[in-house]
Amino acid sequence: MKIKLNNQFITDSTNEYKEGDLFLLTTQNQKYYTNQKSILPKELLENIKTKFIGITGTNGKTTTAFLIGYILDKLGFKVGVQGTEGFYINGKKVEQKTLTTPPIINTIDRVYKYDLDFLVMEVSSHAIIQNRIDGIKFDLKIFTNITQDHLDYHKSFDEYKKAKELFFKDDSLKIINKKYNLNINLKNSCFYPLNKRFETKLKGDFNQENFQAAILGVSKLLNRNIDEIAKIAKDFSGVAGRMEEVANKVIIDFAHTPDGMQKVLSSIKGDKIVVFGAGGNRDKTKRKLMGEVADKYAKYIILTNDNPRCEDEIEIIKGIKEGIKQTPYEVILDRKEAIKRALKLQKDEYVLLLGKGDEEYIELCDKKIPFSDKNTVNEINSY
């Protein structure tokens, strides 16, 4: 990628480098570096006004990030939020999503281009290991939770946990979920959940935790009263595709891990028809566990495609079925037909469509097919 800052072209690719450019030297590209005129990310970031807020955890990053963005917007700041949903400024989407945590050159480009007071970042475990946050001095770091995910990349839960812990080895202000035992630098750490509940439009106990992480973080960072911040935050209604009710008792959510599913399903009181699958070419060991969670909470299960990628759809479903012991289920690989079936079965039950959130595609091996759970529900209900 090549960007222009202060009339100077900067690139992180030797293939794009031309004489007169600056080569952004990172741990990812240093093995390709020869004698190009270079600059380090921290040199470009050390004198800017933007304050960085980083959020990591298996679940809750997106909701917590957007809530912090909402609060800071209400307080009059220019705030960017980047992560799973793309890149937003004061609630308006200005760039489509790439990676949850993009390469550092993208982040640098955004803070310069948009002259931000704050940049709220979702920080993935991949980005931590791959040093995609090179040179960023975070003013606030938040840990939401940790459960099994991404073992296709990290190989073991212990390695995955170590990746998350690496983010909290410095002396920055930290907001830490006290339910988890972490090997981190505890200096400047504050802990939640707090011994009180706050008013919020967000559904579920897990969202009460996300809410507390956000308001505690902002109150500590800005040295403001937490109740004052909570009052500002209480009208935040959530992120599209996260516990979003798209029709009467029809809820879509991005939950794609056993813990994420457990949090969503346990927060809904009443009978539930659950529609879900699992991503292909990802951690296979979590599939049985996802089946077990659905088996525990659902009245009826419909197994379908998520993002099969290059993996056989039937093999993915087979892994999930291993965890289902007592709840009746059926398999409908076509996700639209699976949703149609769930809505046809629905009487007084909730219908939970899990795994996709507000994604607008199904990812196959060589292409992405346009698809939206929300639009599909609206289309079916309009017949």
Side-chain angles (χ1 to χ4, degrees), residues 21-36:
D21 293 346
L22 281 176
F23 184 70
L24 186 66
L25 186 60
T26 70
T27 53
Q28 287 186 295
N29 66 20
Q30 61 184 356
K31 62 184 176 182
Y32 304 107
Y33 175 73
T34 51
N35 60 349
Q36 298 94 340

Side-chain angles (χ1 to χ4, degrees), residues 65-127:
F66 272 82
L67 179 50
I68 290 174
Y70 176 88
I71 297 167
L72 293 173
D73 177 25
K74 293 295 183 183
L75 289 171
F77 295 104
K78 188 174 185 181
V79 53
V81 176
Q82 75 176 18
T84 310
E85 299 297 303
F87 181 59
Y88 290 71
I89 296 179
N90 293 89
K92 182 179 179 181
K93 192 170 192 174
V94 294
E95 294 182 29
Q96 297 299 318
K97 70 175 182 179
T98 51
L99 299 171
T100 297
T101 311
I104 188 63
I105 193 168
N106 295 75
T107 301
I108 291 169
D109 184 44
R110 286 168 174 173
V111 297
Y112 271 86
K113 182 187 297 183
Y114 299 109
D115 192 29
L116 302 171
D117 295 312
F118 291 92
L119 178 60
V120 187
M121 298 175 57
E122 293 183 50
V123 179
S124 68
S125 57
H126 295 69

